[in-house]
Amino acid sequence: MAEPRVPGGRGAKLELPCGESVHVHDLDMGMREYDCDCGDNHAVVTDVHPPSRFVPEFLVNVLRETVETDDDLGEFGTAHIMGVVLEEFPGEVVSENVEDDQDVGYALVWLTDFDSRRLHEIVVELIVELMEHAVSHAENDDAMTEFEEEMLDFDVSEFVEQYRSERDFSGPHDRAV
């Protein structure tokens, strides 16, 4: 007997921003992009992808030490990053909670209307904004001035290009969280 396709249930189907749809069983934990029938690639992120997919582990550690979360997702991680992306781009990101579907290996999945490289740039931009906001609350004008000066020399595209070329996705920090 066929299982019904219900939101959040086994075999959930995601309606993509481009108008196409994809079953969560067509998405695996190692997938970073979905080659869509619309002709575009859509970034794929699951909750088991480490935040170091986007930024170095030392920065992930700093974020975990400084960003307080008040949800049941635990310390600052990929789910929080994607929550910020979803908040900034609500029409360009779809997500699904599939924790009841033990066949997929992840509990949360996000797909974006943009490819994984563009998503990477967006995540870095949003993390820089988060850091700037945190520094502004430090009540230290010198720290804010220094941060702003450092950011004048920071090129998001260049950082993403270098990080993606050097990142070892099979390294010790690229593990399920």
Side-chain angles (χ1 to χ4, degrees):
M1 183 167 143
E3 280 187 54
R5 304 251 184 237
V6 295
R10 296 174 58 80
K13 187 175 176 181
L14 287 159
E15 299 298 324
L16 302 173
C18 67
E20 298 289 334
S21 62
V22 61
H23 291 279
V24 294
H25 289 157
D26 293 333
L27 308 170
D28 63 62
M29 292 184 295
M31 190 177 281
R32 301 281 197 272
E33 278 192 340
Y34 174 70
D35 186 21
C36 186
D37 290 341
C38 76
D40 289 335
N41 290 327
H42 302 289
V44 177
V45 180
T46 67
D47 60 333
V48 297
H49 292 166
S52 58
R53 169 181 174 175
F54 302 108
V55 294
E57 192 66 28
F58 80 86
L59 184 54
V60 172
N61 291 334
V62 169
L63 291 167
R64 285 184 173 150
E65 290 174 13
T66 56
V67 177
E68 291 182 24
T69 60
D70 60 357
D71 54 36
D72 59 352
L73 298 172
E75 64 188 1
F76 184 83
T78 301
H80 299 98
I81 290 170
M82 290 308 297
V84 174
V85 174
L86 181 60
E87 187 176 304
E88 290 292 318
F89 299 92
E92 297 172 274
V93 180
V94 295
S95 65
E96 188 73 26
N97 181 336
V98 293
E99 66 186 46
D100 294 332
D101 189 339
Q102 293 140 9
D103 294 330
V104 295
Y106 50 85
L108 299 169
V109 62
W110 298 264
L111 280 94
T112 68
D113 200 32
F114 24 83
D115 65 17
S116 64
R117 175 166 173 75
R118 179 64 188 130
L119 172 62
H120 197 157
E121 290 175 347
I122 288 169
V123 167
V124 171
E125 290 167 357
L126 292 171
I127 288 175
V128 167
E129 285 180 24
L130 179 66
M131 291 166 49
E132 181 178 28
H133 180 76
V135 170
S136 74
H137 284 283
E139 297 179 13
N140 181 335
D141 292 338
D142 292 339
M144 189 61 187
T145 301
E146 183 178 341
F147 181 83
E148 288 173 344
E149 287 172 2
E150 292 287 331
M151 288 302 100
L152 290 175
D153 295 330
F154 183 70
D155 184 313
V156 171
S157 252
E158 185 178 317
F159 168 82
V160 167
E161 184 67 32
Q162 183 176 355
Y163 190 71
R164 291 172 74 88
S165 69
E166 293 177 7
R167 178 70 172 101
D168 175 11
F169 282 111
S170 62
H173 298 295
D174 193 38
R175 59 182 170 20
V177 288

